[in-house]
Amino acid sequence: MTYRIAIAAIVGLIGLSVLSPAEASKRRPEAPKAAAVAPLGVDDAFLAAHQAFTKSDPARFEAMAAQAQGHPLAVYLDYWRLRLCLQRPASETPPGAADADVQRFLARHEGTLVADLLARDWMLDLGRRREWTAFDAVYARWILRDDDEVHCYASLGDIERARPAPRARAAIFSVRNFVPGCAALLDAQLRTGMLNRDDLHARLLVALETNTADAVRLLGERLALDSKAVDLALSNPSKALAGKRTRETLLIALSRLARKDPAEANERLEEIAPALRQADVAFARSQIAAAAMRKLDSRALEWARASLDAPATDETWNWLARAALREQDWPTLRKVVARMSEAGRNEPAWVYWSARAEREAGDTAKADEMLRPIAGQFTFYGRLAAEELGSLTSPPPAALATTEEELAQAARNAGFDRALRFYALGLRFEGNREWNFQLRGMSDRQLLAAARWACAEQVLDRCVNTADRTREEHDFALRFVSPFLDRMKPVAAGADLDPAWVYGLIRQESRFVRDARSWAGAQGLMQIMPATARWIAKKLGERDFRVEQLHDLDTNLRFGTFYLRSVLDDLEGSPLLASAAYNAGPGRPRSWRSTLSAPVEGAIFAEIIPFNETRDYVKKVLTNAVYYAALFTGQPQSLKARLGRVAPALSMPTDIP
């Protein structure tokens, strides 16, 4: 059955029919009256309508949408209007009032991103209304499948109709927060006996591992815990531990205290451990160990060893594995990884370090066998695994050049055209979403053609990200583009920096989007913060510097390379530490290094970085750098050599911001 036919059937199932325009206008909820406004050009009106949509201002939206009619992206005006309608309170709009309009939109725009987005929004509405038959028909054809609450409603619909719900438990244990649909699913499972109090307790532990206070409160309600006691355990755990407590409130307080002060939490646990269940002691100890490792506390390994039988998840085991890795305690590392889920054990990081543990234990053959499956990956651990097996990093052979017809096919893609129009309006999120939606199911040849076309259109981030998706045929000149090389080389040379490293950093920082601006305010290719830019300008003697100049290519490159050189010198010439400093500030890698008990290889230091963002950043920047170096020199490169080693050193203050 086609999507179009299925949607027509849905409307009948929920008591509606496909109406004529005249009839539909009678049934459609009355739109807010638009205030009179000065006329705008269609682009400005479209942007104003988008802003009104994001602010949930229907009256302003209608006024601006009226002026934006005929815009090439007008389909989004229709989508935003329908979404605003679906989001109206029930007191303003009768349930299902928008269903006929939604049905027509989905049929008219079948297979497009906007149709899939509206399908998701409609399913949320159908789920709230418990219109399960209609929900099922849309859910079966939903493409993105990227909303936890929709999945929760799908399982809730199965339970309410006494049908098997095999994904219901996993949904409850995987969501971070209990949005209404997922809270309803939890309650349905409790009501039908699919979950019991022990299950609630286990789910509470997951919420403590992820430090999700709202989930802790909701689960506390379902466990019939005193809400004031739960709030106290969350906000003032030391006080909560000194007063009257239940099993669960004690674990909440210990877990929260561990994040603030692992040593104090351990002391309190030692005092009360004899009265606790063994599993509770092990869980509390595991949270103390994980929190200690996040602070790079030297006692993390000791506490990790004492909690190997904890009822914990990979969220905790990852930190305990890092605690063992930092001290190069290979036997404990093997034990911790063995406690992970199958998915956790198969993560390239833990495959690699488990193989290293086998090598340290003398089983080279087993280590090599473990490394081979990941050694072909173009990732940080793929490259390290290849080096362990004797191969340095080189780009794979380039695929055959894309043909004119392949490029023409990419140019004809209507979704790509919509993406470019969004970019021209400065709506990069919407543009990226449109672009990425078109890539579903593409062959390597189609992906390479799309990437090359994006490069030709100077949409370099989409060029890189699209080329990154190929599976068998690759073109690393597209994955690792090197624009403005003639302007980069003299700047990098002036700062005595390896251009491969600078390009590797820019690829991670901005994906070569020259007007990129982060949520924190970092700007331009090398994502420089305004305060840092002013410090650089002062150091360079540029008295007339203005922050707007960060969007000038040459200024951004000159300032970014000056800062990178500064942190490199400040950190004894270590690209690993300097990359971490560029992301997190120079004081942090100095502090992290000071906690080491002995020198470690750079890969170990990279893995134990306590900030998730910085850990990922450093791995990607330096992996990028080895590929750029291989492309620039034509010679195989060593990631291990670039990572170097990191030795303990006192954390001395620095004047670099």
Side-chain angles (χ1 to χ4, degrees), residues 302-314:
E302 172 193 344
W303 293 329
R305 289 171 179 155
S307 52
L308 292 175
D309 57 346
T313 69
D314 292 345

Side-chain angles (χ1 to χ4, degrees), residues 528 542 545 549-560:
I528 305 168
E542 299 192 13
F545 169 75
Q549 291 175 262
L550 290 176
H551 292 291
D552 172 72
L553 173 63
D554 294 320
T555 300
N556 198 279
L557 291 178
R558 187 159 41 83
F559 275 39

Side-chain angles (χ1 to χ4, degrees), residues 43-57:
D43 279 349
D44 288 338
F46 183 87
L47 287 170
H50 173 262
Q51 184 180 50
F53 162 70
T54 60
K55 292 182 177 181
S56 298
D57 184 346

Side-chain angles (χ1 to χ4, degrees), residues 528-547 549-550 555 558-560 562-563 566 655-657:
I528 305 168
M529 292 293 290
T532 303
R534 295 186 187 97
W535 177 85
I536 295 168
K538 184 176 180 180
K539 288 290 184 179
L540 293 175
E542 299 192 13
R543 297 180 180 179
D544 298 328
F545 169 75
R546 302 183 313 281
V547 170
Q549 291 175 262
L550 290 176
T555 300
R558 187 159 41 83
F559 275 39
F562 177 86
Y563 185 78
S566 298
D655 67 346
I656 301 176

